[in-house]
Amino acid sequence: MITLTNVRKQFGRDIAVQDVSLHVERGEIYGIIGASGAGKSTVLRLMNLLETPDAGTVEIDGALLTSLSTKQLRAKRHVIGMIFQQFNLVANKTVFENVVAPLRLAGRPRATHEERVLECLRFVGLEAFKDKYPAQLSGGQKQRVAIARALANEPHVLLCDEPTSSLDPNTTAEVLGVLKSINERLGVTIVIVTHEMDVIKQVCDRVTVMADGSVYETIDLVPSGVPAIDNNPAWFVDQLKKAGEADA
Amino acid sequence: MPEVLIQYQTEIWRSIGETFIMVGVSILAAVLVGLPLGTWLYLSRKGQLLENRAVFSVLNLVVNIVRSFPFLLLVVFLIPFTRLIIGTAIGTAAATVPLAIIAIAHYSRLVEQSLLDVPRGVVEAAVSMGASIKDVIFKFLYVEARSGLVLGLTTSIISFISYSTIMGVVGGGGIGDFAIRYGYQQFKTELMMYMIFIMLLFVQMIQFTGTTVARLIDKR
Ligand SMILES: Nc1ncnc2c1ncn2[C@@H]1O[C@H](COP(=O)(O)OP(=O)(O)O)[C@@H](O)[C@H]1O
Ligand SMILES: [Mg+2]
């Protein structure tokens, strides 16, 4: 689904990514983990050419991105969703307006917009919030709106840059649950960049460990699943006691 | 109605009209040229979508030069240019030329600042969705920066009113010029005070409208 071949990216004299080759299979959830500054985000951003590689090629969903014209690249980006740590919603647009934006950009027939937006919002459980502004939502809700926005054009791939890194454990589980069901129910290939070990263990089928701009190792995993969580205070107490026992 | 105002009402209405023309042309120039110029300034900056060091340096320098000129000197300096495009360097029409130029420089800088306040991630998300430069500008940048753009224009308009008051030097007229010629030079202090009051009223109205609109459209 995604193939990076010997890609290199340099910022001024700093080499952020050097000679990285990796392959993401169709339908899998692929993780990229590593220390801060290891080049994870840069690799992800190379996948939709938000960063242009200084060397190497990027192939995604059957298209050699590095050889496309600007216009072809834009068309391809319509079917490559992306979400971010900071959500990056347009604060002056309602939830509905945020999610309809990619449909407009892709030039989809106007008559289909409303239904599609509501369908995506229903998928992330936020249909009732369509007229709210991002400032009125919690972090987890904002990320779910961002996911709905990324899903609008029925992407084949979803790129996630630290999708849960500014969320608390409960909302992390909530967002991971949504990502998992996007992968299972919609068959979307997902790439998750994170520095959180638990995120990788819970949902990824494969993971690449990066260090100093290079691939350190790639390993197969059996995802442990997203833990069931609730907001019941008893749950917190339970978790705390468990952690205490584990330390003892 | 005070007697002086009735006595001079024709001149007062004319001077208000002249101020409206001068400030109106300034606003038009600011929006039609200053907005795109400020957007280009922003986009050509390092790390932005149309990054171009040469373009940015030139635009930045021109805007700085225009803005650092003492305005009176700019008016004098532009006389040959004004004559070239208006046919004369004297009168209200001629006065709009230097005003339009300072208006463009003034507002473009405020536009650039407002756009810099838009989180970089919003632009990034737009690009990742396949937005063109035009889409990014109109569907993301201007939407997210809209209250800053309105507040900037409000500040600019008030400056334009202030600049317009000295256009008497090239026969531009206006309320400021009227206040100086009749009120100050002919010692009609009362008349001068009324004129200052009228200006104050305009400024208050503009500031109030600008602040209110900016607040209403800001959902951040
Ligand atoms: N736009 C940029 N300009 C300059 N340096 C950058 C830029 N983006 C990333 N870098 C540098 O590249 C390296 C890798 O960054 P990044 O891919 O963000 O790492 P990670 O996501 O693993 O924390 C870092 O040293 C970072 O400072
Ligand atoms: Mg990162």
Side-chain angles (χ1 to χ4, degrees):
Chain A
M1 189 56 150
I2 306 173
T3 308
L4 302 185
T5 313
N6 304 112
V7 291
R8 189 167 64 83
K9 181 66 188 179
Q10 211 166 324
F11 294 105
R13 292 173 63 196
D14 301 334
I15 300 173
V17 168
Q18 56 181 329
D19 203 32
V20 164
S21 297
L22 58 81
H23 179 73
V24 178
E25 296 286 344
R26 187 175 294 271
E28 73 178 338
I29 301 188
Y30 192 99
I32 300 177
I33 194 165
S36 176
K40 309 179 293 292
S41 298
T42 308
V43 164
L44 192 77
R45 296 157 55 81
L46 282 162
M47 289 178 179
N48 62 356
L49 246 54
L50 273 187
E51 304 287 359
T52 326
D54 296 320
T57 55
V58 177
E59 201 189 320
I60 189 164
D61 197 21
L64 191 61
L65 287 198
T66 35
S67 69
L68 297 185
S69 67
T70 320
K71 206 171 162 203
Q72 290 169 321
L73 175 62
R74 277 198 274 118
K76 197 70 204 170
R77 280 175 175 155
H78 294 144
V79 289
I80 306 174
M82 190 172 201
I83 60 170
F84 309 81
Q85 178 171 2
Q86 298 306 327
F87 325 124
N88 297 344
L89 297 172
V90 180
N92 278 332
K93 287 186 181 185
T94 61
V95 165
F96 185 94
E97 290 165 341
N98 267 286
V99 180
V100 84
L103 298 174
R104 294 206 178 124
L105 292 176
R108 286 210 174 193
R110 267 185 174 278
T112 64
H113 288 187
E114 183 165 0
E115 196 189 326
R116 180 64 191 154
V117 170
L118 295 180
E119 195 178 354
C120 292
L121 287 175
R122 215 172 296 136
F123 193 92
V124 298
L126 289 174
E127 202 185 358
F129 292 73
K130 66 184 175 67
D131 296 321
K132 296 243 186 269
Y133 285 92
Q136 298 168 290
L137 305 180
S138 71
Q141 291 170 333
K142 282 183 203 164
Q143 193 61 294
R144 276 148 63 198
V145 173
I147 292 172
R149 179 174 72 172
L151 287 182
N153 281 319
E154 294 165 89
H156 309 155
V157 182
L158 181 59
L159 306 176
C160 314
D161 193 356
E162 305 274 2
T164 57
S165 299
S166 34
L167 305 177
D168 62 52
N170 279 0
T171 24
T172 291
E174 168 190 309
V175 165
L176 288 181
V178 173
L179 291 180
K180 187 88 197 161
S181 72
I182 286 169
N183 175 254
E184 281 168 0
R185 287 168 52 196
L186 309 177
V188 175
T189 306
I190 298 182
V191 182
I192 301 180
V193 159
T194 184
H195 66 272
E196 297 173 313
M197 198 63 96
D198 285 343
V199 170
I200 299 285
K201 285 188 192 159
Q202 287 165 15
V203 296
C204 293
D205 301 305
R206 237 147 39 99
V207 59
T208 284
V209 180
M210 283 194 69
D212 299 327
S214 308
V215 171
Y216 180 78
E217 201 172 327
T218 299
I219 43 182
D220 291 331
L221 295 175
V222 178
S224 66
V226 183
I229 39 92
D230 56 45
N231 287 313
N232 188 335
W235 179 83
F236 286 95
V237 173
D238 221 44
Q239 294 297 306
L240 287 167
K241 281 193 177 150
K242 245 194 253 167
E245 279 158 26
D247 289 342
Chain B
M1 183 74 84
E3 205 181 313
V4 274
L5 291 187
I6 293 168
Q7 187 187 347
Y8 287 101
Q9 61 173 316
T10 328
E11 287 90 339
I12 291 172
W13 279 116
R14 184 170 6 97
S15 66
I16 289 177
E18 288 159 350
T19 293
F20 267 58
I21 290 170
M22 291 190 287
V23 174
V25 170
S26 305
I27 296 172
L28 273 180
V31 173
L32 297 180
V33 187
L35 180 61
L37 181 64
T39 309
W40 199 14
L41 255 173
Y42 165 82
L43 289 172
S44 63
R45 257 176 182 267
K46 189 169 160 50
Q48 305 295 346
L49 292 178
L50 298 177
E51 174 173 344
N52 186 321
R53 219 167 132 174
V55 168
F56 177 76
S57 306
V58 170
L59 296 181
N60 196 39
L61 186 70
V62 170
V63 168
N64 277 345
I65 290 175
V66 172
R67 296 201 57 197
S68 58
F69 249 91
F71 185 56
L72 202 52
L73 282 184
L74 184 72
V75 175
V76 175
F77 180 80
L78 284 173
I79 284 176
F81 176 69
T82 304
R83 200 170 277 140
L84 192 72
I85 58 170
I86 303 286
T88 169
I90 303 294
T92 307
T96 61
V97 174
L99 279 170
I101 289 184
I102 191 73
I104 291 166
H106 197 275
Y107 190 50
S108 66
R109 187 59 88 198
L110 297 182
V111 167
E112 182 200 19
Q113 300 300 331
S114 304
L115 297 180
L116 282 170
D117 283 342
V118 175
R120 180 177 285 265
V122 170
V123 174
E124 206 148 77
V127 173
S128 81
M129 285 184 247
S132 63
I133 300 271
K134 193 176 138 218
D135 293 326
V136 172
I137 296 172
F138 290 99
K139 297 181 179 162
F140 294 85
L141 283 172
Y142 287 173
V143 173
E144 207 63 336
R146 62 193 186 191
S147 55
L149 294 173
V150 168
L151 284 177
L153 189 62
T154 308
T155 306
S156 287
I157 294 173
I158 290 169
S159 297
F160 303 161
I161 293 180
S162 167
Y163 288 132
S164 78
T165 58
I166 66 152
M167 295 317 292
V169 293
V170 289
I175 309 173
D177 180 49
F178 178 82
I180 291 170
R181 282 192 297 129
Y182 288 77
Y184 180 68
Q185 289 167 357
Q186 297 184 19
F187 305 106
K188 297 190 172 70
T189 311
E190 194 193 351
L191 190 57
M192 188 174 74
M193 296 311 274
Y194 283 124
M195 291 302 107
I196 292 173
F197 181 73
I198 291 175
M199 303 270 280
L200 186 82
L201 210 64
F202 283 149
V203 170
Q204 288 292 335
M205 268 163 37
I206 290 162
Q207 186 66 58
F208 176 78
T209 311
T211 315
T212 310
V213 170
R215 183 162 37 81
L216 289 176
I217 62 178
D218 189 6
K219 308 293 180 186
R220 291 172 299 170

